[in-house]
Amino acid sequence: MDKALEIAARVLMAQIYIISGWGKLTGYSGTQGYFASIGLPMPGVVTPLVVLIELGGGLALLFGFKTRWVALILALFSIATAFVAHTNFAEPGQMNNFMKNLAMAGGYLLFAKYGAGSPSIDTASKRQSLR
């Protein structure tokens, strides 16, 4: 049961950024335009970084690769995103998005503390290094 829960937790926590990162990648110019419209500096630099964090970080978490570091990055990213993109509480849903991002950060912090569990690339690498 523990393995199933660990896999389910990784899938559920990773899917939001995998889907979001893929959307930003496939709608790259729109993403860049949106970032410019909300006042992010250097959207041409920020856009690929966000895609890398979301898509790359989501996939790394999904497969349990460098999980503790990736989870810490995703936690910080989730908090930053809450404060950068979800503080217009006059707009319906923004408070929910703000709180969702903070809740996600809490989940990522647990991965940062406890790791990916098993099965994961991290666990397989650890076993391989013990041989």
Side-chain angles (χ1 to χ4, degrees), residues 9-77:
R10 288 201 323 264
V11 168
L12 293 171
M13 290 298 294
Q15 58 86 25
I16 192 163
Y17 279 138
I18 293 170
I19 293 167
S20 181
W22 181 254
K24 286 176 176 65
L25 180 63
T26 59
Y28 196 86
S29 62
T31 300
Q32 199 167 348
Y34 172 71
F35 287 164
S37 77
I38 63 170
L40 284 178
M42 300 185 302
V45 173
V46 171
T47 304
L49 289 175
V50 168
V51 169
L52 177 65
I53 290 169
E54 288 188 353
L55 186 56
L59 289 169
L61 182 67
L62 177 66
F63 293 108
F65 178 71
K66 303 289 184 190
T67 305
R68 292 176 188 259
W69 286 107
V70 167
L72 187 58
I73 291 166
L74 291 174
L76 294 172
F77 180 78

Side-chain angles (χ1 to χ4, degrees), residues 86-101:
H86 299 302
T87 55
N88 181 7
F89 300 137
E91 186 179 314
Q94 286 301 309
M95 175 64 93
N96 285 339
N97 286 334
F98 182 85
M99 298 305 292
K100 170 202 56 123
N101 276 51

